[in-house]
């Protein structure tokens, strides 16, 4: 009986600690989301790493991103991707071709980087892992777990600077062994950005073939 009581006590203690950590994680994420939404825009340079330890694959690329409200432009690996809030423009630079599509609403939550700090509000459990350090600065370490077991990843790990509540890194742990890590190298949050930034300009790129699949 004493053994069973001890086991129950440990279960209750773990459950209480997890609930506290989840509450702390949500509090921090809410603060980050509110602060991020107050920015007129986000302009950032980042590194993007893909690794599969089982296959011995490791790739590292640099990229840049501009975000305004739910719009974005990403430059990465010879691709420029524009999203104006409705249409998605994928410019394959080497192929001199741009595809225009309307993204599926279910995919947009995953694909749209502008939703990174609001996507946790539905479909995820979260846990405050503890304090960390990045670039010599104190960080919050938070894990997100998708409630939908069909997602291709099992966990997303966030490192968030404590002093300014800005994202330092995001690591997605894939079920197929592929892990993706984004590290923010620089960020500017006080510049005005026009909506034309998020639309591929066909006039300035007359040699690019436009394939409109809307």
């Amino acid at each position: 009986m004493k053994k069973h009581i001890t086991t129950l006590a440990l279960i209750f203690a773990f459950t209480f600690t997890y609930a506290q950590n989840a509450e702390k994680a949500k509090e921090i994420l809410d603060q980050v989301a509110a602060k991020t939404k107050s920015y007129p825009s986000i302009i950032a340079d980042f590194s993007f790493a893909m690794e599969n330890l089982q296959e011995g694959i490791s790739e590292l690329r640099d990229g840049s991103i501009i975000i305004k409200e739910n719009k974005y432009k990403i430059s990465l690996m010879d691709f420029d991707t524009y999203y104006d809030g409705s249409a998605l423009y994928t410019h394959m630079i080497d192929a001199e071709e741009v595809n225009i599509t309307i993204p599926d609403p279910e995919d947009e939550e995953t694909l749209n980087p502008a939703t990174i700090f609001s996507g946790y509000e539905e479909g995820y459990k979260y846990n405050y892992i503890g304090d960390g350090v990045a670039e010599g600065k104190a960080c919050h370490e938070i894990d997100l777990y998708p409630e939908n077991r069909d997602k291709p990843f099992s966990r997303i790990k966030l490192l968030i600077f404590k002093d300014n509540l800005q994202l330092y890194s995001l690591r997605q742990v894939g079920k197929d062994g592929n892990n993706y890590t984004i590290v923010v190298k620089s960020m500017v949050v006080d510049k005005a950005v026009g909506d034309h930034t998020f639309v591929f300009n066909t006039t300035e790129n007359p040699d690019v073939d436009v394939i409109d699949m809307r």
Side-chain angles (χ1 to χ4, degrees), residues 77-112:
M77 295 189 296
D78 299 322
F79 285 83
D80 284 342
T81 304
Y82 308 74
Y83 181 66
D84 63 5
S86 174
L88 185 71
Y89 306 77
T90 304
H91 180 202
M92 294 167 279
I93 298 172
D94 289 343
E96 295 188 335
E97 177 181 304
V98 61
N99 293 329
I100 307 176
T101 58
I102 301 296
D104 187 306
E106 293 185 1
D107 294 335
E108 186 182 339
E109 177 188 341
T110 303
L111 297 175
N112 190 340

Side-chain angles (χ1 to χ4, degrees), residues 1-16:
M1 176 63 70
K2 182 178 180 181
K3 180 179 179 181
H4 291 314
I5 292 174
T6 302
T7 302
L8 285 173
L10 289 172
I11 292 173
F12 281 124
F14 174 80
T15 303
F16 179 71

Side-chain angles (χ1 to χ4, degrees), residues 45-97:
D45 293 324
F46 63 89
S47 65
F48 175 81
M50 190 279 283
E51 64 176 1
N52 187 315
L53 299 179
Q54 295 177 341
E55 301 293 335
I57 299 172
S58 180
E59 296 182 2
L60 180 65
R61 303 292 182 92
D62 289 329
S64 62
I65 187 169
I66 303 173
I67 300 175
K68 176 185 175 184
E69 299 171 347
N70 69 328
K71 308 174 184 67
Y72 65 87
K73 177 190 175 185
I74 302 176
S75 297
L76 179 67
M77 295 189 296
D78 299 322
F79 285 83
D80 284 342
T81 304
Y82 308 74
Y83 181 66
D84 63 5
S86 174
L88 185 71
Y89 306 77
T90 304
H91 180 202
M92 294 167 279
I93 298 172
D94 289 343
E96 295 188 335
E97 177 181 304

